Amino acid sequence: MKLSIIIPVYNEKNTIEEVLNRVLAVDLSEFNLKREIIIIDDGSYDGTREILDKMAKNRDSDYNQIKVIYHQKNYGKGRVVRTGFKYMTGDVAIIQDADLELRPEDQPLLLLPIIEGKTKVVFGSRFRKKVKGVNFYTLVANKIFTFFTNFLYGVHITDVMTCYKVMNREVIKKLQLCSDKFDVEPELAAKICKSGYKIYEVPVSYNPRKFKSGKKIKFSDSFPVLWALFKYRFVD
Ligand SMILES: Nc1nc2c(ncn2[C@@H]2O[C@H](COP(=O)(O)OP(=O)(O)OP(=O)(O)O)[C@@H](O)[C@H]2O)c(=O)[nH]1
Ligand SMILES: [Mg+2]
């Protein structure tokens, strides 16, 4: 079996190298999994591209697992996820944000229920563990989005906006995603539920970053998220 790790990157020059090294250091031998890492740069202009160019020239065997794809301009996270799904060749995909809010070391925990055949979809929940330092408005927004997900789709999850979404290729093929921005998170959850797959949640560690250290999600990103939750309840 092969794992595809999809890393969306937009202006993450401070963390991109560390994310990659920590992802490469994750030991998957107990699962007997091959791995490919697909980094998708979404039109960065802060020096991230130069770092990625340098990494792409590295001939270490570890680095052979890495594919870097460059978007010609900034489209948003949803388009990045769709590019990743298009180019992946693995049987299971995991989305790993490049900002280190979520720890690559949690990947084996997320994969376990899929490897054991318990489920085809796992979400890593940031709110099943005690978490410190979350911005109040971020927390409230997350609670509201998750409430509407549960209400509209009849599920009981705790973190719809998590980047840690892990799923089999079979699931991905059914989804037909069309979001470009952060509305990809509710779109994924909505379409997974509507396709009849059960979301299995695993608690993960969360190290929330502040706006001054690069956090980019904005209040205005909330409206498309809510709209997506309602829209996909009624249309495909
Ligand atoms: N904000 C933003 N991130 C992008 C974009 N394209 C790719 N990304 C990447 O998508 C990931 C998520 O972006 P973040 O700004 O950290 O947003 P988030 O983690 O979902 O939300 P918060 O942690 O609540 O701010 C990061 O790895 C970004 O580098 C984009 O156009 N805008
Ligand atoms: Mg983040």
Side-chain angles (χ1 to χ4, degrees):
M1 215 154 101
K2 184 169 171 184
L3 169 67
S4 300
I5 300 171
I6 297 169
I7 309 188
V9 187
Y10 178 53
N11 291 344
E12 305 284 8
K13 70 169 184 266
N14 296 326
T15 48
I16 183 61
E17 262 177 307
E18 185 182 342
V19 176
L20 200 63
N21 289 329
R22 283 171 60 181
V23 167
L24 285 167
V26 173
D27 183 7
L28 297 175
S29 56
E30 66 172 307
F31 300 135
N32 207 4
L33 271 182
K34 289 201 208 102
R35 168 170 57 198
E36 71 176 353
I37 300 170
I38 307 179
I39 301 177
I40 299 138
D41 181 80
D42 195 34
S44 296
Y45 54 83
D46 70 339
T48 299
R49 280 192 169 218
E50 290 67 23
I51 298 171
L52 291 174
D53 285 344
K54 196 180 74 199
M55 282 176 356
K57 291 196 191 108
N58 190 326
R59 293 267 163 250
D60 277 4
S61 57
D62 261 359
Y63 279 77
N64 288 337
Q65 307 165 34
I66 301 169
K67 207 185 276 174
V68 185
I69 298 169
Y70 297 96
H71 280 172
Q72 286 319 311
K73 59 175 205 150
N74 175 239
Y75 289 102
K77 182 168 174 185
R79 181 73 83 94
V80 175
V81 169
R82 293 198 283 134
T83 302
F85 285 167
K86 185 165 139 201
Y87 285 97
M88 67 178 267
T89 61
D91 310 285
V92 186
I94 179 163
I95 302 164
Q96 168 74 57
D97 277 0
D99 55 5
L100 286 174
E101 290 189 299
L102 299 183
R103 299 170 65 246
E105 294 75 16
D106 281 341
Q107 287 182 8
L109 285 176
L110 294 159
L111 289 164
L112 192 62
I114 294 189
I115 306 281
E116 286 179 337
K118 285 189 184 151
T119 182
K120 290 178 176 163
V121 182
V122 173
F123 282 12
S125 170
R126 299 165 293 174
F127 306 115
R128 276 187 181 259
K129 276 186 181 175
K130 250 204 151 82
V131 44
K132 280 199 211 127
V134 194
N135 174 287
F136 175 75
Y137 297 102
T138 306
L139 191 64
V140 171
N142 269 291
K143 296 271 175 221
I144 294 172
F145 301 150
T146 303
F147 169 82
F148 279 110
T149 308
N150 290 337
F151 178 70
L152 291 165
Y153 298 92
V155 290
H156 301 282
I157 61 173
T158 58
D159 188 6
V160 64
M161 297 301 285
T162 177
C163 94
Y164 265 156
K165 296 189 165 75
V166 188
M167 62 203 93
N168 279 346
R169 169 184 279 284
E170 166 201 316
V171 179
I172 291 169
K173 281 209 176 133
K174 294 228 169 97
L175 300 181
Q176 308 284 342
L177 298 176
C178 42
S179 300
D180 271 349
K181 308 284 183 193
F182 285 112
D183 45 350
V184 72
E185 307 292 4
E187 184 185 14
L188 277 163
K191 291 188 171 174
I192 286 166
C193 296
K194 281 178 76 174
S195 307
Y197 295 106
K198 192 171 171 333
I199 299 171
Y200 190 107
E201 272 193 330
V202 168
V204 292
S205 304
Y206 179 37
N207 178 26
R209 64 174 168 176
K210 306 266 184 288
F211 285 98
K212 66 173 185 304
S213 43
K215 186 178 172 68
K216 302 178 205 87
I217 206 159
K218 305 179 295 297
F219 179 66
S220 56
D221 292 318
S222 309
F223 300 107
V225 169
L226 281 174
W227 173 238
L229 281 173
F230 283 96
K231 181 173 78 177
Y232 293 117
R233 175 68 183 79
F234 303 105
V235 298
D236 287 334

